Amino acid sequence: YNLPLDQTFLGVDYTYGLKWYEARVNNNTDQSHIFNLKLDHAFSERYDVSLKDSFVYSREPTVLDAGGAITAPTSLRTEGSGMKNRGNVDFGMQFSPKWGVGIGYENNWYDYDQDAGDVLPGVASRSQLLDRMQHLIPIDARYTVNPKFVALVGYQYGLTDYSSNDNYFSANVGGVVAPDWRNSSAHYGYLGGEYAVSSQLNLSFKGGAQYTTYDNLKSYDSTLDDNQVTPYADLSASYMYNPGSFVTGGYTYSLTSTDVQVLDNKTHVVYVALTHKITARVDANL
């Protein structure tokens, strides 16, 4: 349901998914529930705010974390039931025709059903490896070079806290660890821009570096390196080929949490989405 007003837009949606497996002996039905909420409000021509929230419950790991990495083909069929909530708020402030600032906050919460009692001794469960709370605070300074190009310089601060209370054995450390051994804080610095190539084609890009510190790693093994520097990239494009019909795509490179017992995965994500207006009242999405 979408409700557009003069200065406000409200959108809510719900998606139910069901898969039935003919030859699976037990629990042969996988279900998923996805709730989304979006609220945009313009206080004036210079100040606006955007609120988004998405809640997912699913048995499918790739539904629960669509942007995550598939670490092995078997990850598609393991017991991945769980919940995820992602919420974020973004403020846009245009101080002058040339200068503006964007500031936001994003929160990601994961809670998997598979606990320590659901797996064999010595095997870590999804809850032990992946239950976590993540915080991200981005700040961008924006400069309008000309009507088509906006340059930006940005900084992000991120925190990841693993929340399970059940310890497990880690081959990396060579002993029993608490899940919070992988807790981390991260600093991102980047340059980027938004370029309107034409009235139909828009490009957005950010590139820089991510400095990550693993806050509790030294308490388990003083010989391990508790920080690393990795590239950070976020590229996207949008092309409107007909009024109301457009295709978007992009690429990101960053560190992501993983069910493999390492600190983090270096992950490449490529995505594409298509919206096609069939009639004034009917859209198709791919």
Side-chain angles (χ1 to χ4, degrees), residues 9 20 28-29 35 42 67 88 92 96 115 124 127 133 142 146 164 174 188 193 198 206 209 243 245 249 251 255 262:
F9 173 85
W20 178 74
N28 60 351
T29 301
F35 301 87
N88 63 286
S96 72
D115 295 318
S127 181
M133 179 82 77
R142 305 165 62 86
N146 57 51
S164 174
Y188 305 72
S198 68
K206 296 177 183 177
S245 299
Y251 164 80
L255 294 179
V262 295

mmCIF file of all heavy atoms in Angstrom, residues 9 20 28-29 35 42 67 88 92 96 115 124 127 133 142 146 164 174 188 193 198 206 209 243 245 249 251 255 262:
data_model
loop_
_atom_site.group_PDB
_atom_site.id
_atom_site.type_symbol
_atom_site.label_atom_id
_atom_site.label_comp_id
_atom_site.label_asym_id
_atom_site.label_seq_id
_atom_site.Cartn_x
_atom_site.Cartn_y
_atom_site.Cartn_z
ATOM 1 N N PHE A 9 5.470 10.636 1.925
ATOM 2 C CA PHE A 9 5.154 9.381 1.246
ATOM 3 C C PHE A 9 5.209 8.254 2.271
ATOM 4 O O PHE A 9 6.183 8.122 3.020
ATOM 5 C CB PHE A 9 6.141 9.089 0.118
ATOM 6 C CG PHE A 9 5.958 7.725 -0.500
ATOM 7 C CD1 PHE A 9 5.031 7.521 -1.505
ATOM 8 C CD2 PHE A 9 6.701 6.638 -0.047
ATOM 9 C CE1 PHE A 9 4.846 6.254 -2.060
ATOM 10 C CE2 PHE A 9 6.530 5.379 -0.594
ATOM 11 C CZ PHE A 9 5.597 5.190 -1.609
ATOM 12 N N TRP A 20 7.328 -26.141 -0.887
ATOM 13 C CA TRP A 20 7.036 -27.495 -0.422
ATOM 14 C C TRP A 20 7.949 -28.467 -1.165
ATOM 15 O O TRP A 20 8.041 -28.426 -2.387
ATOM 16 C CB TRP A 20 5.579 -27.854 -0.682
ATOM 17 C CG TRP A 20 5.229 -29.254 -0.268
ATOM 18 C CD1 TRP A 20 5.071 -29.721 1.000
ATOM 19 C CD2 TRP A 20 5.023 -30.368 -1.145
ATOM 20 N NE1 TRP A 20 4.767 -31.062 0.989
ATOM 21 C CE2 TRP A 20 4.727 -31.485 -0.312
ATOM 22 C CE3 TRP A 20 5.049 -30.539 -2.520
ATOM 23 C CZ2 TRP A 20 4.465 -32.746 -0.838
ATOM 24 C CZ3 TRP A 20 4.779 -31.793 -3.052
ATOM 25 C CH2 TRP A 20 4.494 -32.892 -2.207
ATOM 26 N N ASN A 28 8.855 -30.648 5.549
ATOM 27 C CA ASN A 28 9.015 -30.485 4.107
ATOM 28 C C ASN A 28 8.461 -29.169 3.571
ATOM 29 O O ASN A 28 8.379 -28.975 2.365
ATOM 30 C CB ASN A 28 8.367 -31.655 3.350
ATOM 31 C CG ASN A 28 6.873 -31.762 3.627
ATOM 32 O OD1 ASN A 28 6.342 -31.095 4.494
ATOM 33 N ND2 ASN A 28 6.204 -32.615 2.856
ATOM 34 N N THR A 29 8.094 -28.235 4.454
ATOM 35 C CA THR A 29 7.599 -26.928 4.032
ATOM 36 C C THR A 29 8.479 -25.822 4.603
ATOM 37 O O THR A 29 8.734 -25.791 5.808
ATOM 38 C CB THR A 29 6.150 -26.711 4.504
ATOM 39 O OG1 THR A 29 5.314 -27.729 3.958
ATOM 40 C CG2 THR A 29 5.635 -25.353 4.051
ATOM 41 N N PHE A 35 8.110 -8.081 6.040
ATOM 42 C CA PHE A 35 7.341 -6.858 6.253
ATOM 43 C C PHE A 35 8.258 -5.665 5.982
ATOM 44 O O PHE A 35 9.373 -5.602 6.507
ATOM 45 C CB PHE A 35 6.827 -6.767 7.690
ATOM 46 C CG PHE A 35 5.939 -7.902 8.115
ATOM 47 C CD1 PHE A 35 6.483 -9.067 8.639
ATOM 48 C CD2 PHE A 35 4.559 -7.803 7.996
ATOM 49 C CE1 PHE A 35 5.672 -10.115 9.047
ATOM 50 C CE2 PHE A 35 3.743 -8.848 8.399
ATOM 51 C CZ PHE A 35 4.298 -10.012 8.919
ATOM 52 N N ALA A 42 9.401 15.625 3.527
ATOM 53 C CA ALA A 42 10.168 16.830 3.230
ATOM 54 C C ALA A 42 9.660 17.956 4.119
ATOM 55 O O ALA A 42 8.518 18.408 3.975
ATOM 56 C CB ALA A 42 10.019 17.196 1.751
ATOM 57 N N GLY A 67 21.683 -10.006 0.944
ATOM 58 C CA GLY A 67 22.956 -9.442 0.525
ATOM 59 C C GLY A 67 24.156 -10.172 1.072
ATOM 60 O O GLY A 67 25.293 -9.744 0.888
ATOM 61 N N ASN A 88 16.605 1.924 9.335
ATOM 62 C CA ASN A 88 17.528 3.041 9.153
ATOM 63 C C ASN A 88 16.766 4.357 8.999
ATOM 64 O O ASN A 88 15.607 4.385 8.554
ATOM 65 C CB ASN A 88 18.463 2.811 7.958
ATOM 66 C CG ASN A 88 17.756 2.714 6.645
ATOM 67 O OD1 ASN A 88 17.121 1.709 6.346
ATOM 68 N ND2 ASN A 88 17.838 3.760 5.838
ATOM 69 N N GLY A 92 18.614 14.616 5.333
ATOM 70 C CA GLY A 92 19.274 15.397 4.300
ATOM 71 C C GLY A 92 19.113 16.881 4.577
ATOM 72 O O GLY A 92 17.997 17.354 4.816
ATOM 73 N N SER A 96 23.037 25.445 1.485
ATOM 74 C CA SER A 96 23.129 26.473 0.456
ATOM 75 C C SER A 96 22.923 25.790 -0.889
ATOM 76 O O SER A 96 22.859 24.562 -0.960
ATOM 77 C CB SER A 96 24.491 27.170 0.507
ATOM 78 O OG SER A 96 25.508 26.306 0.031
ATOM 79 N N ASP A 115 20.213 -23.365 17.885
ATOM 80 C CA ASP A 115 21.038 -23.112 19.059
ATOM 81 C C ASP A 115 22.052 -24.234 19.269
ATOM 82 O O ASP A 115 22.092 -25.209 18.514
ATOM 83 C CB ASP A 115 20.154 -22.961 20.296
ATOM 84 C CG ASP A 115 19.249 -21.741 20.214
ATOM 85 O OD1 ASP A 115 19.731 -20.678 19.773
ATOM 86 O OD2 ASP A 115 18.060 -21.856 20.582
ATOM 87 N N ALA A 124 29.582 -25.703 15.923
ATOM 88 C CA ALA A 124 28.963 -24.434 16.310
ATOM 89 C C ALA A 124 27.663 -24.230 15.548
ATOM 90 O O ALA A 124 27.572 -24.524 14.351
ATOM 91 C CB ALA A 124 29.915 -23.267 16.045
ATOM 92 N N SER A 127 23.218 -19.851 15.562
ATOM 93 C CA SER A 127 23.008 -18.842 16.588
ATOM 94 C C SER A 127 24.334 -18.421 17.211
ATOM 95 O O SER A 127 24.593 -17.232 17.413
ATOM 96 C CB SER A 127 22.063 -19.377 17.661
ATOM 97 O OG SER A 127 21.834 -18.410 18.660
ATOM 98 N N MET A 133 24.093 -7.868 16.628
ATOM 99 C CA MET A 133 23.515 -6.541 16.438
ATOM 100 C C MET A 133 24.575 -5.675 15.782
ATOM 101 O O MET A 133 25.720 -5.612 16.237
ATOM 102 C CB MET A 133 23.107 -5.936 17.776
ATOM 103 C CG MET A 133 22.510 -4.538 17.676
ATOM 104 S SD MET A 133 20.761 -4.530 17.234
ATOM 105 C CE MET A 133 20.037 -4.988 18.816
ATOM 106 N N ARG A 142 28.278 17.020 0.935
ATOM 107 C CA ARG A 142 27.940 17.006 -0.482
ATOM 108 C C ARG A 142 28.155 18.396 -1.085
ATOM 109 O O ARG A 142 27.769 19.407 -0.490
ATOM 110 C CB ARG A 142 26.486 16.576 -0.668
ATOM 111 C CG ARG A 142 26.151 15.251 -0.034
ATOM 112 C CD ARG A 142 24.665 15.015 0.101
ATOM 113 N NE ARG A 142 24.019 14.997 -1.193
ATOM 114 C CZ ARG A 142 23.908 13.922 -1.966
ATOM 115 N NH1 ARG A 142 24.379 12.767 -1.552
ATOM 116 N NH2 ARG A 142 23.310 13.976 -3.125
ATOM 117 N N ASN A 146 27.788 21.055 -10.467
ATOM 118 C CA ASN A 146 26.908 21.628 -11.483
ATOM 119 C C ASN A 146 25.582 20.882 -11.387
ATOM 120 O O ASN A 146 25.451 19.929 -10.608
ATOM 121 C CB ASN A 146 27.547 21.539 -12.887
ATOM 122 C CG ASN A 146 27.895 20.112 -13.282
ATOM 123 O OD1 ASN A 146 27.061 19.207 -13.207
ATOM 124 N ND2 ASN A 146 29.146 19.887 -13.689
ATOM 125 N N SER A 164 25.118 -14.218 21.132
ATOM 126 C CA SER A 164 24.836 -15.527 21.720
ATOM 127 C C SER A 164 25.594 -15.691 23.041
ATOM 128 O O SER A 164 26.698 -15.165 23.219
ATOM 129 C CB SER A 164 25.241 -16.638 20.754
ATOM 130 O OG SER A 164 25.109 -17.908 21.360
ATOM 131 N N GLY A 174 42.201 -21.947 18.488
ATOM 132 C CA GLY A 174 42.737 -23.159 19.084
ATOM 133 C C GLY A 174 42.193 -23.424 20.466
ATOM 134 O O GLY A 174 42.882 -23.999 21.320
ATOM 135 N N TYR A 188 35.159 3.811 8.109
ATOM 136 C CA TYR A 188 35.166 3.857 6.653
ATOM 137 C C TYR A 188 35.435 5.304 6.215
ATOM 138 O O TYR A 188 34.811 6.237 6.728
ATOM 139 C CB TYR A 188 33.817 3.464 6.054
ATOM 140 C CG TYR A 188 33.247 2.141 6.464
ATOM 141 C CD1 TYR A 188 32.723 1.940 7.747
ATOM 142 C CD2 TYR A 188 33.171 1.081 5.564
ATOM 143 C CE1 TYR A 188 32.160 0.732 8.109
ATOM 144 C CE2 TYR A 188 32.608 -0.129 5.917
ATOM 145 C CZ TYR A 188 32.106 -0.296 7.200
ATOM 146 O OH TYR A 188 31.539 -1.495 7.559
ATOM 147 N N GLY A 193 30.423 10.309 -5.711
ATOM 148 C CA GLY A 193 29.643 11.298 -6.428
ATOM 149 C C GLY A 193 28.373 10.709 -7.008
ATOM 150 O O GLY A 193 28.190 9.481 -7.047
ATOM 151 N N SER A 198 22.053 11.683 -18.123
ATOM 152 C CA SER A 198 20.962 12.215 -18.919
ATOM 153 C C SER A 198 19.714 12.219 -18.050
ATOM 154 O O SER A 198 19.765 11.849 -16.872
ATOM 155 C CB SER A 198 20.749 11.373 -20.182
ATOM 156 O OG SER A 198 20.268 10.085 -19.849
ATOM 157 N N LYS A 206 30.910 5.254 -4.721
ATOM 158 C CA LYS A 206 31.710 5.544 -3.537
ATOM 159 C C LYS A 206 32.899 4.591 -3.540
ATOM 160 O O LYS A 206 32.755 3.405 -3.851
ATOM 161 C CB LYS A 206 30.908 5.325 -2.252
ATOM 162 C CG LYS A 206 29.713 6.235 -2.058
ATOM 163 C CD LYS A 206 28.967 5.872 -0.785
ATOM 164 C CE LYS A 206 27.720 6.718 -0.594
ATOM 165 N NZ LYS A 206 26.964 6.286 0.625
ATOM 166 N N ALA A 209 38.371 3.120 1.824
ATOM 167 C CA ALA A 209 38.992 2.069 2.619
ATOM 168 C C ALA A 209 38.206 1.855 3.907
ATOM 169 O O ALA A 209 37.509 2.753 4.392
ATOM 170 C CB ALA A 209 40.442 2.412 2.936
ATOM 171 N N PRO A 243 8.628 5.986 -19.166
ATOM 172 C CA PRO A 243 8.052 6.588 -17.958
ATOM 173 C C PRO A 243 7.512 5.524 -17.011
ATOM 174 O O PRO A 243 6.682 4.699 -17.381
ATOM 175 C CB PRO A 243 6.926 7.469 -18.511
ATOM 176 C CG PRO A 243 7.366 7.819 -19.896
ATOM 177 C CD PRO A 243 8.082 6.598 -20.402
ATOM 178 N N SER A 245 9.160 2.987 -15.906
ATOM 179 C CA SER A 245 9.855 1.713 -16.107
ATOM 180 C C SER A 245 11.363 1.956 -16.046
ATOM 181 O O SER A 245 11.881 2.810 -16.767
ATOM 182 C CB SER A 245 9.495 1.095 -17.459
ATOM 183 O OG SER A 245 8.106 0.828 -17.551
ATOM 184 N N GLY A 249 21.036 -1.398 -11.036
ATOM 185 C CA GLY A 249 22.029 -2.427 -10.778
ATOM 186 C C GLY A 249 23.216 -1.837 -10.052
ATOM 187 O O GLY A 249 23.364 -0.618 -9.950
ATOM 188 N N TYR A 251 27.172 -2.819 -7.622
ATOM 189 C CA TYR A 251 28.229 -3.693 -7.105
ATOM 190 C C TYR A 251 28.714 -3.128 -5.779
ATOM 191 O O TYR A 251 28.882 -1.904 -5.637
ATOM 192 C CB TYR A 251 29.393 -3.761 -8.097
ATOM 193 C CG TYR A 251 30.678 -4.306 -7.508
ATOM 194 C CD1 TYR A 251 30.867 -5.674 -7.357
ATOM 195 C CD2 TYR A 251 31.704 -3.451 -7.090
ATOM 196 C CE1 TYR A 251 32.040 -6.178 -6.816
ATOM 197 C CE2 TYR A 251 32.879 -3.949 -6.554
ATOM 198 C CZ TYR A 251 33.046 -5.317 -6.415
ATOM 199 O OH TYR A 251 34.203 -5.808 -5.863
ATOM 200 N N LEU A 255 33.419 -6.120 3.996
ATOM 201 C CA LEU A 255 33.503 -7.256 4.899
ATOM 202 C C LEU A 255 32.113 -7.624 5.379
ATOM 203 O O LEU A 255 31.304 -6.746 5.685
ATOM 204 C CB LEU A 255 34.384 -6.918 6.107
ATOM 205 C CG LEU A 255 35.862 -6.672 5.840
ATOM 206 C CD1 LEU A 255 36.577 -6.330 7.147
ATOM 207 C CD2 LEU A 255 36.524 -7.881 5.194
ATOM 208 N N VAL A 262 35.785 -17.846 10.637
ATOM 209 C CA VAL A 262 36.827 -16.843 10.440
ATOM 210 C C VAL A 262 36.254 -15.520 10.929
ATOM 211 O O VAL A 262 35.071 -15.423 11.261
ATOM 212 C CB VAL A 262 37.247 -16.741 8.952
ATOM 213 C CG1 VAL A 262 37.891 -18.030 8.504
ATOM 214 C CG2 VAL A 262 36.053 -16.408 8.064
#
